[in-house]
Amino acid sequence: MAALQARLARFAVARDWQPFHTPKNLAAALSVEASELVEIFQWLTPEQSARVMDSPDSAHRVEDEVADVLAYLLQLCEVLGIDALAALSAKIDRNERRFPARGEGAG
C-alpha cells in the first residue's frame, strides 16, 4: 500500500498536480469516482449485478472505477497522514464490539 501511495505521489508531482490535491478536492474526487462505480450498477437487477464481472467490457469498467476510488482514497490518506490499514483495523475492532456475532454478548 505504501508503495502505491508513493507511486501516486510521484505521478502527481511529475504533473504539478499536488497543489490541487487538497483534502477537500480529494474527498470530492473520491465521491465522484464512487458515484461512477454506482452508475455501472444503477439499473441492474441483483442477479445482473452479481454477474457484472462475467462480461469483459463491464468487468473492465468496474475495475477502472474501483482503481479510481482506491487511488483517491490512498491520496487522501497520504495528504491527511492516515494509515488506511490501521484505520480499517481499528474500525473493525469497534464494530466487533458494537455488533457482537450471534451468540456473543448475550448475557
Side-chain angles (χ1 to χ4, degrees), residues 29-47:
L30 174 59
S31 176
V32 169
E33 295 302 337
S35 295
E36 290 178 5
L37 179 60
V38 170
E39 182 181 29
I40 296 167
F41 295 93
Q42 184 174 8
W43 301 114
L44 300 182
T45 65
E47 296 78 19

Side-chain angles (χ1 to χ4, degrees), residues 72-87:
Y72 281 118
L73 181 60
L74 290 177
Q75 289 174 88
L76 180 62
C77 288
E78 178 75 17
V79 166
L80 295 176
I82 296 171
D83 179 330
L85 295 180

Side-chain angles (χ1 to χ4, degrees), residues 40 52-67:
I40 296 167
V52 74
M53 299 305 286
D54 292 349
S55 161
D57 287 339
S58 62
H60 178 72
R61 288 180 60 215
V62 170
E63 289 172 355
D64 273 358
E65 296 308 332
V66 165

Side-chain angles (χ1 to χ4, degrees), residues 19-30 72:
F20 307 104
H21 285 191
T22 65
K24 179 189 88 58
N25 288 350
L26 291 169
L30 174 59
Y72 281 118

